[in-house]
Amino acid sequence: MDNQQDSYMTEETLIETVENQIADGEPKKVKATLMRLVMTGTPREEAIKWIACALAVEIFDIMENEASFNAKRYDQHLDALPNMDWLDD
């Protein structure tokens, strides 16, 4: 990754982006995922980090492959949390 990619992929930046998605209510699946994870006993901070992992996959694909954001795949990854088998792909 180059320096520009590094700045997009910091944990702090990803978490801030997730927090903004929750505050903005878009995509709706992010807030729903947070609520689901917290209601099943996951600490909020950990749930946010898991959501940030799902977001990182999309940002990496955009930066590495000059692809468009794949909202469907992001939703699928959010649905799979806390399982993150997709990180092995």
Side-chain angles (χ1 to χ4, degrees):
M1 259 191 259
D2 63 25
N3 288 338
Q4 182 182 10
Q5 287 173 318
D6 288 343
S7 68
Y8 287 112
M9 298 294 283
T10 67
E11 182 178 356
E12 181 181 309
T13 302
L14 290 168
I15 288 172
E16 181 179 340
T17 301
V18 169
E19 292 286 8
N20 288 339
Q21 289 178 335
I22 292 165
D24 294 343
E26 286 297 325
K28 292 179 183 183
K29 176 76 76 168
V30 174
K31 188 172 186 175
T33 300
L34 175 63
M35 291 173 56
R36 174 178 57 83
L37 292 170
V38 170
M39 289 177 65
T40 57
T42 304
R44 186 181 191 284
E45 185 176 313
E46 187 172 355
I48 295 290
K49 287 181 181 181
W50 290 348
I51 295 168
C53 286
L55 179 60
V57 170
E58 297 312 315
I59 293 174
F60 181 81
D61 192 46
I62 290 167
M63 300 299 294
E64 195 68 18
N65 300 312
E66 298 180 14
S68 297
F69 185 82
N70 188 330
K72 182 177 179 180
R73 182 175 57 192
Y74 187 40
D75 282 355
Q76 291 170 340
H77 290 166
L78 292 172
D79 284 340
L81 291 173
N83 183 344
M84 289 191 247
D85 287 344
W86 36 265
L87 286 176
D88 297 332
D89 294 343

